[in-house]
Amino acid sequence: MTLEQVTKELKGYKGRTIKIMEVCGTHTASIFKAGIRSILPEEIRLISGPGCPVCVTPSAYIDKLVDYSLKENYQVLTFGDMMKVRGSKYSLTQAKALGGKINYLYSPLQSLALAKENPQINYIFAAVGFETTAPLYTILLEEMEKENIQNLKLLIAVKTIIPALSYLCEQEEIDGFLCPGHVSVIIGSKVYEPLAEKYGKPFVVTGFEGEHILASVYEIMTQITTGDFKMKNLYTSAVKEEGNEKAFGAVMKYFEPCDAYWRGIGTIPGSGLRLKEEFQKYDAGSEEAFVEETLPKGCSCTDVILGRIQPIECPAFGKRCTPMDALGPCMVSSEGACGIWYKNR
Amino acid sequence: MHIDMSYGSGGKQTTSLINEVFVKHFSNPTLEKMEDSAVLTVKEKIAFTTDSFVVTPMFFKGGDIGKVAVCGTVNDLLMMGANPKYLTTGFIIEEGADLNELERIAASMAMTAKEAGVQIVAGDTKVIEGKGGIYINTSGIGEIEKEGISISSCKEGDVILLSGNLGEHHAAIMSHRMEIENDIKSDCAPLKEIVLNLIAAGIDIHCMRDVTRGGLATVLNEVSSSSACKVVIEEKALPVSPQVEGFCDILGLDPLYMANEGKLIAVVPKADADKALQVMKASKYGENAAIIGKIENGTKVIMATPFGGNRVIDVLYGEGLPRIC
């Protein structure tokens, strides 16, 4: 089928309302960038799921980074998009203005050079993300071991997607999933098969171009229309059935599964990774940074990331909650659903 | 050699700094008189502007803080249809700054001023405590060549032209800060030739803006808001080099929001659009110029995507930062 035919079929869909969740924040950004929502009819609703690592990181974690940044001889290193999210009091951007020592990096490996150049400074690296970023932390840990680096530690908030998908299937009414492209490069496509079978829903692995996403939405629509539910990999150029076994194998040398707290959702059993006992010396107190918490009063981010409401249905949207002064995490991240809706309003 | 507080004392070392660095590079009869004010000859109507520059790093591929300090002010004058004539410059130098680096910056300013056809006729130097940073202010006067160019003058049916590839300055600076090896150079350049050629060709320019901080998205929102109109741009028409596109893909940045230091948009009547494009393309720094959109009745900035969809282009909120994954 040509792209034009796919678009025409989607535009002509007249069945029941279908809720499709894109789990990955980069998909949300691509959908926005390609104007996909403006092409689809009302009956096909794209929901931004909990796949933006910034949005699901608890405020206690940000607070701990802020505390470290303000301590003498300490410096916090982080990816850029963690800078804007507020903890219970301050974001890292605000902490920096208060004198907090915070640098943002492109790669975790840049922290090695800094630690070696400045032995008098204790560096805390904000290790957030999913299976995509975990292999980078593994390389970092290998180098830290090899070079006996003492002044660099990781504050870890790494999450895994499969337990989260199971949780969403159990708890919420979602008709189909666009599986995360980058994460699938690491974990492969086969891991979604048991989910498709158990929950009777389409799981489609997709890339990030507009045509990839349209083709995947069409695949989900077709599976729902025919009732033939399965995992389908439409991103075969990058995602293998088994994934990148070498990379994920290396991750499991240092890490082990643990329960993880997702901001706005709660604790999902087995959905996180923590350092194994023998590598705890590299941990900057990650467990203390995970405290069950309620979202600020009036914030509906939970309902947004679980697809119960559209961002615009939140009473605070665009009023008490804007990108300049965000109430909840979904408004502040570049890949958060509310922030994207606000900019496209 | 490093600059210490004595260079800002007003005494002998201040005089030697001024003579051996600034007067040496900026030399012209007005400056050399060393009066309290420069006495200038200008036509009847002038444009006058000022800007301050705090770039880190001070030296990067394609330019340095001095080049940016001249281009920024010169281009602001040009955007009002003014031919830049005179600049003043103020330096705030932190103790510890390298004298050789300061001289490199001054030489770069002199070379850029020469290309832009302006004279640096007055200046000021202050030395403050710090860690070796250098900050520059430039103010400029230009003689109006074409009146009536304004951000509030865009009309329904007008066409929007962009003078070249987006995002190159921002990507060059970020590459340097993040120690990423690539060939991306800052686009930092004085846009005198493009502007004066458009005026000489008789193009009825309604609005011009240089595309700097906040990027094209911010400029187009200013157009929409000031002229009370809808701006519609075509995504596939936007010129972006493959290197910058790759860089943005990796870091999750959008060229629409990235800073440039040598690009402008011109809004012209539809009847003049093709001729304006030819003039831009034939001018220095305009070879990648393109028609990117049009002005319609309504509000907001809308981008038409290659898939037949559209999206609203909003202004930048906060700082553009790279994402995690």
Side-chain angles (χ1 to χ4, degrees), chain B residues 95-246:
Chain B
E95 62 178 333
D98 187 311
L99 192 59
N100 289 331
E101 287 191 347
L102 181 65
E103 182 149 10
R104 269 175 73 193
I105 289 167
S108 171
M109 289 178 78
M111 202 161 76
T112 314
K114 193 175 172 197
E115 183 184 349
V118 289
Q119 291 183 354
I120 298 172
V121 293
D124 177 51
T125 309
K126 295 282 181 292
V127 179
I128 60 169
E129 289 179 358
K131 293 179 181 173
I134 296 174
Y135 313 104
I136 305 174
N137 170 274
T138 50
S139 298
I141 288 174
E143 294 172 341
I144 297 286
E145 296 283 336
K146 179 176 167 52
E147 287 193 47
I149 298 174
S150 163
I151 190 128
S152 58
S153 297
C154 303
K155 294 186 174 52
E156 191 181 345
D158 282 356
V159 169
I160 306 162
L161 295 103
L162 173 65
S163 68
N165 295 346
L166 290 173
E168 284 165 358
H169 177 70
H170 199 136
I173 294 280
M174 286 202 82
S175 300
H176 200 296
R177 283 189 197 162
M178 295 177 146
E179 297 174 10
I180 299 170
E181 283 290 322
N182 57 36
D183 297 327
I184 300 171
K185 275 189 197 163
S186 167
D187 60 344
C188 178
L191 299 172
K192 183 167 175 165
E193 193 176 312
I194 294 182
V195 173
L196 296 189
N197 285 354
L198 284 171
I199 293 171
I203 305 293
D204 181 18
I205 306 161
H206 288 172
C207 163
M208 268 191 298
R209 271 273 156 132
D210 52 342
V211 184
T212 54
R213 277 187 307 168
L216 181 67
T218 302
V219 170
L220 294 178
N221 272 284
E222 286 165 358
V223 167
S224 169
S225 151
S226 298
S227 289
C229 64
K230 181 176 174 184
V231 172
V232 180
I233 54 169
E234 292 284 332
E235 186 173 3
K236 60 185 173 204
L238 292 177
V240 182
S241 74
Q243 290 88 342
V244 169
E245 198 164 294

Side-chain angles (χ1 to χ4, degrees), chain A residues 120-299:
Chain A
Q120 76 285 8
I121 298 176
N122 296 298
Y123 289 97
I124 305 296
F125 186 84
V128 292
F130 286 89
E131 290 94 332
T132 332
T133 26
L136 288 172
Y137 303 145
T138 305
I139 298 169
L140 177 64
L141 287 160
E142 271 173 5
E143 290 297 316
M144 284 162 69
E145 264 197 296
K146 207 190 302 174
E147 304 202 33
N148 192 26
I149 304 249
Q150 305 280 338
N151 60 329
L152 172 61
K153 287 188 177 182
L154 279 62
L155 194 69
I156 297 164
V158 179
K159 294 185 168 59
T160 55
I161 208 69
I162 298 295
L165 286 172
S166 295
Y167 175 91
L168 289 166
C169 289
E170 299 275 358
Q171 305 287 327
E172 303 297 325
E173 286 173 15
I174 295 156
D175 298 297
F177 292 89
L178 293 174
C179 303
H182 291 145
V183 165
S184 301
V185 172
I186 304 294
I187 65 175
S189 61
K190 219 174 160 55
V191 287
Y192 302 107
E193 281 175 3
L195 292 172
E197 205 171 303
K198 182 175 177 188
Y199 297 108
K201 293 179 194 292
F203 282 78
V204 179
V205 181
T206 189
F208 298 95
E209 299 299 326
E211 56 262 51
H212 288 160
I213 293 166
L214 280 173
S216 303
V217 172
Y218 177 74
E219 171 67 29
I220 290 173
M221 185 194 81
T222 308
Q223 287 193 26
I224 288 171
T225 312
T226 60
D228 179 18
F229 301 115
K230 56 187 180 237
M231 184 285 296
K232 180 99 175 176
N233 181 6
L234 293 182
Y235 194 28
T236 49
S237 58
V239 177
K240 293 181 196 156
E241 264 191 23
E242 307 295 340
N244 187 333
E245 291 173 286
K246 196 177 162 197
F248 205 63
V251 169
M252 298 319 283
K253 179 187 161 195
Y254 289 93
F255 291 93
E256 62 187 7
C258 64
D259 295 348
Y261 178 72
W262 298 57
R263 190 177 194 174
I265 297 178
T267 298
I268 303 179
S271 68
L273 292 176
R274 69 176 169 212
L275 283 173
K276 287 179 176 171
E277 187 62 40
E278 61 264 45
F279 303 112
Q280 279 296 318
K281 60 182 174 183
Y282 298 122
D283 189 281
S286 309
E287 289 215 5
E288 302 151 31
F290 287 85
V291 182
E292 293 269 350
E293 63 195 6
T294 49
L295 287 171
K297 209 175 166 198
C299 171

